[in-house]
Amino acid sequence: MARATARHILVDSEEICLELKREIEEGADFAAVAKEHSSCPSSRQGGDLGEFGPGMMVPEFDKVVFSAPVNTVQGPVKTQFGYHLLEVTSRTE
């Protein structure tokens, strides 16, 4: 079964999400941005969600995590929790 590790940043608006994505793409450290801005408890670990398999996260997450290129920031991804930036840090098929 496929497994992945990922990290994310959760915010309330698409605008903030896009602004943070731009900061990261311009060189800001993902983990530092997550610690400062993410409303998810994972922010304490720089947004690290650990390892998980398909179906363990909301469908919008799964779609990105199990298809997007590794080590590339994706988003905004809208879920019932808010807007996410996602980065797949590893994946096995």
Side-chain angles (χ1 to χ4, degrees):
M1 178 186 359
R3 304 289 291 173
T5 59
R7 55 189 183 168
H8 83 132
I9 297 169
L10 173 63
V11 294
D12 293 335
S13 77
E14 187 174 14
E15 294 75 26
I16 294 170
C17 203
L18 288 167
E19 183 179 313
L20 296 177
K21 183 177 185 180
R22 185 172 54 254
E23 287 180 23
I24 292 166
E25 288 173 341
E26 291 174 356
D29 179 66
F30 190 103
V33 173
K35 285 179 182 178
E36 185 175 343
H37 296 282
S38 183
S39 61
C40 180
S42 69
S43 64
R44 290 188 294 276
Q45 292 82 39
D48 186 13
L49 296 169
E51 183 180 88
F52 52 93
M56 294 176 69
M57 299 288 181
V58 293
E60 299 91 343
F61 251 61
D62 271 8
K63 183 178 178 184
V64 174
V65 169
F66 292 101
S67 67
V70 175
N71 297 320
T72 303
V73 177
Q74 304 293 316
V77 176
K78 186 176 185 338
T79 71
Q80 72 262 34
F81 302 106
Y83 293 86
H84 308 257
L85 291 179
L86 284 169
E87 183 183 31
V88 181
T89 51
S90 71
R91 184 173 54 232
T92 57
E93 299 304 326

